[in-house]
Amino acid sequence: MKLSTSLSFNGSCQEAFKFYEQVLHGKAMMTMTFGESPMADQTPTAERDRVMHTSLQFGDQVLMGSDAPSQMPFQPPQGFHISIGVDDTAEAERIYKALSEGGAVQMELQKTFWAERFAMFSDRFGIPWMVNCEAPK
């Protein structure tokens, strides 16, 4: 079994995934807009440039996303965080700085009893993240 996360956006999916690809050094797998899909004729003209599906690969993991279509109104994410685990404090600091810029920080990146660095925040797209760099054992 393999779990993947799929994020929903309100028209900013393409911008968000280009940003995530750059910051997280992911590899874009594919992107399809509603206008490029077999459902293009059924899609309102104003929604044809919205993302129907996109995916980024990080090693053997995949992050997926889409823009919410008008018949399924967008709801902001809540009740979860995407957790990024890294082994290097400099990498934790780089990722935190980039992803949290323009977002809302719940817990600044800092040393904790379990980690060299840990932070909780939402990025500028409203997606909740945690960055964790475990303490050496």
Side-chain angles (χ1 to χ4, degrees):
M1 180 183 299
K2 191 172 190 177
L3 296 176
S4 297
T5 301
S6 185
L7 304 174
S8 183
F9 295 86
N10 194 21
S12 61
C13 183
Q14 190 163 30
E15 179 186 358
F17 269 67
K18 284 181 180 180
F19 178 64
Y20 300 154
E21 180 181 18
Q22 176 189 359
V23 171
L24 302 174
H25 304 144
K27 180 182 176 192
M29 300 304 291
M30 69 86 68
T31 298
M32 178 183 285
T33 65
F34 286 96
E36 296 167 329
S37 79
M39 298 171 30
D41 295 355
Q42 303 163 35
T43 303
T45 304
E47 293 183 25
R48 290 187 181 161
D49 289 336
R50 292 171 72 99
V51 174
M52 182 178 194
H53 176 79
T54 191
S55 59
L56 285 177
Q57 188 164 2
F58 306 91
D60 65 347
Q61 299 179 65
V62 175
L63 181 64
M64 298 179 293
S66 63
D67 286 312
S70 59
Q71 66 269 26
M72 297 175 177
F74 173 76
Q75 296 197 10
Q78 59 184 352
F80 74 96
H81 287 81
I82 298 174
S83 182
I84 301 174
V86 296
D87 297 327
D88 178 66
T89 57
E91 182 69 350
E93 290 166 5
R94 182 192 70 77
I95 291 170
Y96 168 75
K97 182 179 180 195
L99 285 179
S100 67
E101 186 175 344
V105 176
Q106 289 85 43
M107 183 176 175
E108 294 280 345
L109 188 68
Q110 59 191 272
K111 186 172 178 59
T112 65
F113 65 90
W114 72 87
E116 284 298 312
R117 298 290 185 280
F118 178 80
M120 292 176 64
F121 57 92
S122 292
D123 67 19
R124 68 182 188 221
F125 304 102
I127 301 300
W129 297 88
M130 293 189 300
V131 174
N132 191 63
C133 179
E134 291 190 19
K137 296 180 182 188

